[in-house]
Amino acid sequence: MRVVIIGVGLIGGSFAMDVKKLHPDAEIIGVDKSEEHLDEALQLQIIDKKGDYSALSNADLVYVGIPVNVLVTELPNILDAVGDETVVMDAGSTKRLICEQVAEHPNRRNFMACHPIAGTEFSGPAAAFQGLYTGKTMIICEVEKTAFKLQERALAIFQDIGMRIRYMNPEAHDKHIAYVSHLSHISSFMLGKTVIEKEKNERDIFDMAGSGFESTVRLAKSSPDMWTPIFEQNKDNVVETLEEYIQNLTTFKQLILDNDFENVHQEMSNTNKIKQILKGIPLTKK
């Protein structure tokens, strides 16, 4: 098996490591705009060798883990270079614009639009680890547009890794992911911003921050280079979720101002049902 990883950071690198565990004889070729990342991936044995788009013509699998703004531009070029038997999978956190970009491409049948619900707040090859995808969900959009035999190859890899498969249309994906992922990152970034601006003494933050603060602000350590294009591509859905979130914050603030702590308690009690909704979701640990 010949596998090309375009973008050898956390997402692409972890996928490469999982594939290598399943298929020790697989040849893993890394493609990345950063020579430093490629050198690091080689040193960490995430990839077997460096490559470029010329490696795509006889690849079995191509996994693309690059920022979504770059993905929109590069995906047509990637599909231009693949062979008839190559399946290309992306890992973008938005799907509508990406799917629209290649809707009329002559090699659309070679592309499977994917989004793994997996990741950490870290980036780069050193952040990659085996098992990132195990037990996680892989969302697949417009699967009917991918050639069936190529679908089978990609799905077999995902299932062997231990992923759950979920099918959605791109519009539904982008709407739902705005609530459960994009809003979470914005909340974390803005909580971090608020604390940094209010607490000028960094030592006070370090000494007083407990596990609750650390877990809530964890996502603020994520890469702005990755997340800014996500918010841009999913702007309408992100704004809608923010409006609802701000309204809930405003209502909660008013309850406190009104000394209505009975309803403060009720609001939190009603929200406790999230424990049942999230029960069973595996935590990501390196």
Side-chain angles (χ1 to χ4, degrees):
M1 180 182 291
R2 188 178 225 214
V3 179
V4 177
I5 305 294
I6 302 178
V8 291
L10 166 70
I11 298 300
S14 297
F15 183 77
M17 295 169 80
D18 281 344
V19 170
K20 197 69 169 178
K21 181 184 179 183
L22 289 170
H23 302 279
D25 295 331
E27 181 183 40
I28 311 291
I29 301 168
V31 178
D32 200 294
K33 69 174 185 178
S34 168
E35 197 68 25
E36 183 181 344
H37 277 186
L38 288 172
D39 289 338
E40 190 175 0
L42 272 173
Q43 183 180 4
L44 294 170
Q45 298 183 325
I46 294 172
I47 61 175
D48 296 315
K49 66 179 185 179
K50 304 177 187 180
D52 53 32
Y53 285 5
S54 65
L56 301 179
S57 61
N58 59 353
D60 297 295
L61 297 172
V62 177
Y63 194 72
V64 190
I66 57 180
V68 291
N69 58 326
V70 184
L71 180 58
V72 167
T73 302
E74 285 301 307
L75 187 55
N77 298 328
I78 292 167
L79 289 177
D80 284 344
V82 299
D84 290 342
E85 301 303 315
T86 305
V87 58
V88 177
M89 303 161 288
D90 78 310
S93 186
T94 60
K95 289 273 80 78
R96 182 186 61 80
L97 189 59
I98 290 165
C99 288
E100 287 177 355
Q101 184 72 0
V102 297
E104 303 302 324
H105 195 285
N107 289 332
R108 175 63 184 85
R109 63 183 290 281
N110 293 83
F111 174 59
M112 179 179 278
C114 301
H115 178 203
I117 309 301
T120 73
E121 66 273 30
F122 303 110
S123 58
F129 64 97
Q130 188 179 295
L132 172 67
Y133 293 92
T134 303
K136 306 298 174 52
T137 299
M138 179 64 83
I139 298 176
I140 301 174
C141 296
E142 299 185 335
V143 68
E144 70 283 357
K145 295 185 179 182
T146 308
F148 184 71
K149 63 181 177 180
L150 301 182
Q151 287 182 38
E152 288 186 310
R153 186 186 306 156
L155 290 172
I157 291 286
F158 297 151
Q159 289 163 351
D160 288 346
I161 288 172
M163 301 194 78
R164 299 185 294 265
I165 306 298
R166 175 83 186 270
Y167 299 99
M168 301 181 77
N169 67 60
E171 292 76 18
H173 168 276
D174 287 4
K175 184 176 182 64
H176 293 314
I177 208 70
Y179 283 95
V180 298
S181 175
H182 302 173
L183 181 59
S184 302
H185 282 79
I186 294 171
S187 299
S188 188
F189 276 116
M190 291 303 100
L191 173 59
K193 178 180 187 291
T194 302
V195 171
I196 288 170
E197 291 177 346
K198 194 67 177 176
E199 295 287 354
K200 301 301 183 184
N201 188 328
E202 292 184 9
R203 188 71 207 180
D204 287 344
I205 297 175
F206 182 82
D207 288 342
M208 298 181 68
S211 59
F213 175 77
E214 197 281 332
S215 62
T216 306
V217 82
R218 175 180 66 86
L219 296 177
K221 294 182 279 186
S222 300
S223 168
D225 291 338
M226 182 177 78
W227 280 97
T228 302
I230 290 171
F231 298 147
E232 181 181 8
Q233 287 194 12
N234 206 22
K235 174 184 172 181
D236 291 345
N237 289 312
V238 166
V239 169
E240 180 182 328
T241 63
L242 276 173
E243 287 173 348
E244 295 181 34
Y245 186 48
I246 291 167
Q247 181 57 54
N248 280 326
L249 289 174
T250 302
T251 299
F252 199 78
K253 173 187 173 183
Q254 192 60 49
L255 290 175
I256 293 174
L257 286 172
D258 294 343
N259 290 314
D260 188 356
F261 292 101
E262 180 179 345
N263 273 314
V264 167
H265 183 279
Q266 189 61 50
E267 285 280 303
M268 293 188 291
S269 181
N270 290 342
T271 309
N272 272 171
K273 69 180 182 181
I274 201 74
K275 290 188 289 188
Q276 292 302 314
I277 295 173
L278 299 181
K279 187 176 181 182
I281 294 179
L283 297 176
T284 296
K285 293 182 179 180
K286 183 171 181 178

